[in-house]
Amino acid sequence: VNDTQILLDSIAPVQCFSPSDVSILQKCKHDASISQEVFEEVSSRQQAEDMVSLLPNRYFVNVTSHIEWYLSRDIDISVVLVMRDTSISKKEWISCGISSTLVDASFEKSMGLMKEAFVAYGMHGSRVPKVGTEHVLIVSYEGLMEMKDSYLYEIYNELGIDSTFLPSFIDGNAKYIIDPPPE
């Protein structure tokens, strides 16, 4: 299967894969469309983090159906889409050994999924009943690196997070930017 074809409709919460409480796992089995094979595999694991090993190495999440899965269960969900400079992101992927053809196909697929979700559930989205009930927030990575705390606090505010926590800001783009030679 081509890596750009692996599309998951949603990712269930980690509690759905916690072997410490098989009753929760059983309840989630149908809701999360967990196959019997995966159910048995996860049930035998010792840690919920092992669920990650059952996922494909590379995959896309259909953001729209992911949001709808949670909303259909009366769970409020906010999805933060982080936008980065395309040329830098592509350089990063290629430096990891991913072919430029696959990188281009992946970007086309991911942008399509993000646009679909934003049009449906972002600001003024077609499936947003009223202002203030958006489920998709777009964040600029470069904006965050430039404005740091003021931008982060605005993101916190948009998500309803009451916090003053500030991480260390390390610009992951710097290694991909080549400064022009001095004149």
Side-chain angles (χ1 to χ4, degrees):
V1 173
N2 180 322
D3 282 349
T4 62
Q5 296 173 342
I6 300 173
L7 180 64
L8 303 179
D9 289 330
S10 65
I11 298 178
V14 72
Q15 292 87 342
C16 284
F17 304 104
S18 174
S20 62
D21 189 343
V22 177
S23 65
I24 291 174
L25 181 60
Q26 185 66 44
K27 181 179 183 316
C28 291
K29 181 179 181 289
H30 175 73
D31 285 351
S33 301
I34 301 170
S35 71
Q36 184 61 33
E37 177 185 11
V38 170
F39 176 79
E40 289 170 5
E41 175 70 19
V42 173
S43 297
S44 69
R45 301 284 177 118
Q46 296 301 309
Q47 297 183 19
E49 293 80 23
D50 286 342
M51 179 56 195
V52 173
S53 68
L54 298 174
L55 295 172
N57 287 334
R58 295 186 70 242
Y59 59 90
F60 295 91
V61 176
N62 182 327
V63 182
T64 304
S65 63
H66 181 72
I67 292 168
E68 290 168 353
W69 188 88
Y70 282 88
L71 292 177
S72 71
R73 288 154 180 79
D74 294 323
I75 299 170
D76 191 19
I77 180 173
S78 294
V79 174
V80 178
L81 302 176
V82 179
M83 304 297 292
R84 288 187 68 194
D85 178 280
T86 304
S87 62
I88 292 173
S89 291
K90 286 183 176 184
K91 282 180 187 178
E92 181 180 17
W93 285 30
I94 290 169
S95 74
C96 292
I98 300 171
S99 74
S100 60
T101 304
L102 182 56
V103 168
D104 289 341
S106 295
F107 266 83
E108 184 178 327
K109 180 80 160 185
S110 62
M111 286 306 300
L113 292 168
M114 291 192 305
K115 286 177 184 176
E116 175 189 71
F118 187 72
V119 166
Y121 289 106
M123 189 176 291
H124 310 293
S126 62
R127 299 182 195 167
V128 175
K130 63 182 179 177
V131 174
T133 61
E134 299 85 4
H135 296 284
V136 175
L137 175 65
I138 294 182
V139 173
S140 164
Y141 178 83
E142 285 76 17
L144 182 61
M145 290 299 100
E146 185 65 32
M147 294 184 271
K148 298 179 175 45
D149 56 341
S150 60
Y151 194 53
L152 183 62
Y153 288 142
E154 184 58 32
I155 295 168
Y156 285 167
N157 185 52
E158 286 291 320
L159 295 172
I161 297 171
D162 182 21
S163 177
T164 57
F165 172 75
L166 278 176
S168 298
F169 292 95
I170 300 170
D171 188 354
N173 286 351
K175 61 187 167 209
Y176 300 105
I177 298 173
I178 300 169
D179 290 331
E183 292 182 25

